[in-house]
Amino acid sequence: MAEKETPTARPEQARPGPTAPAPRLKERYIHEVLPALMRELEIDNPMRAPRLEKIVVNMGVGEAIRDAKLLEAAAADLATISGQKPAITKARKSIANFKLRAGMSIGAKVTLRGSRMWEFLDRLLSTALPRIRDFRGLNPDAFDGSGNYSIGVTEQLIFPEIDYDKVVKVRGMDITVVTTARTDEEGRALLLALGFPLQGAPAVAAAAAG
């Protein structure tokens, strides 16, 4: 008689862990900003309303040509600020005057989407920008014609996650907010509704006057 096969034990299926709560700014967009935008822009379909697509944070490190450690320090700062490992950017062409050759590492950048994007933007608006000395609001004309907006920050120290004592060099960065808006007017309406302190906005004007 053939021996009966001993049934093999099946590994227990992993139980899904607790779901992380949605970022508070995303919740605010869904429940408050989106309905308000649809009324303001006279849009019937919520899928047509402008929304955030991604945020790109770029930090240039021209001195990396002479000292690679400066690039490592900048990438570490960017990772701390964004919560995501940055990609190293390389020169596209050679510039003899700067002793720059195509392919050399000259900066770092991260592209944030989903929850990380919303959490970064929340910290930028509620914590980082108010820490800028003599802050009078963001440039209202820094749109690109397609509803995307760029911010230039002069130092990474405005983010409280950065430890001042560990900073190798104070460095600026460019932050680009990419939206699905089709015009600058739609993009401006979206950013104002999210709480961007654009110069000329009533709340920003009142704060500057005070």
Side-chain angles (χ1 to χ4, degrees):
M1 293 180 63
E3 295 183 359
K4 295 182 179 180
E5 293 185 359
T6 304
T8 56
R10 295 182 179 179
E12 294 184 4
Q13 294 183 351
R15 296 181 180 179
T19 305
R24 66 173 185 172
L25 191 57
K26 180 180 180 180
E27 288 288 298
R28 181 167 168 263
Y29 171 81
I30 294 172
H31 299 295
E32 300 178 24
V33 173
L34 179 57
L37 281 176
M38 293 178 64
R39 292 191 299 269
E40 178 181 350
L41 302 175
E42 298 180 349
I43 297 173
D44 296 328
N45 185 351
M47 298 302 294
R48 167 66 185 79
R51 61 185 182 276
L52 296 182
E53 184 174 330
K54 62 183 177 181
I55 293 178
V56 180
V57 187
N58 180 65
M59 186 178 287
V61 191
E63 306 94 322
I65 299 173
R66 300 186 302 272
D67 189 350
K69 291 183 178 180
L70 293 175
L71 179 58
E72 295 176 3
D77 286 346
L78 194 52
T80 300
I81 291 169
S82 65
Q84 181 173 306
K85 183 179 180 181
I88 302 302
T89 55
K90 299 181 181 297
R92 295 181 180 178
K93 59 182 180 180
S94 301
I95 303 177
N97 291 342
F98 295 99
K99 299 181 180 179
L100 179 66
R101 296 191 304 272
M104 293 183 71
S105 300
I106 55 171
K109 75 171 183 178
V110 292
T111 301
L112 303 174
R113 293 183 172 87
S115 295
R116 281 185 178 153
M117 172 188 71
W118 287 104
E119 290 166 355
F120 171 82
L121 184 58
D122 194 357
R123 288 184 286 111
L124 175 69
L125 296 177
S126 62
T127 306
L129 292 181
R131 288 162 60 98
I132 297 177
R133 185 179 303 173
D134 299 326
F135 183 65
R136 292 291 182 268
L138 298 172
N139 182 1
D141 301 320
F143 288 89
D144 66 350
S146 301
N148 306 316
Y149 186 78
S150 295
I151 305 169
V153 176
T154 58
E155 57 184 40
Q156 75 273 44
L157 297 175
I158 64 172
F159 290 91
E161 298 88 353
I162 297 296
D163 186 347
Y164 181 85
D165 294 330
K166 296 181 180 179
V167 170
V168 175
K169 183 175 181 179
V170 175
R171 193 176 305 281
M173 67 188 74
D174 295 317
I175 302 171
T176 301
V177 181
V178 181
T179 75
T180 62
R182 295 191 292 186
T183 65
D184 286 349
E185 289 69 27
E186 287 188 358
R188 184 176 290 105
L190 169 62
L191 299 193
L192 285 173
L194 286 172
F196 273 70
L198 301 183
Q199 292 176 6
V204 178

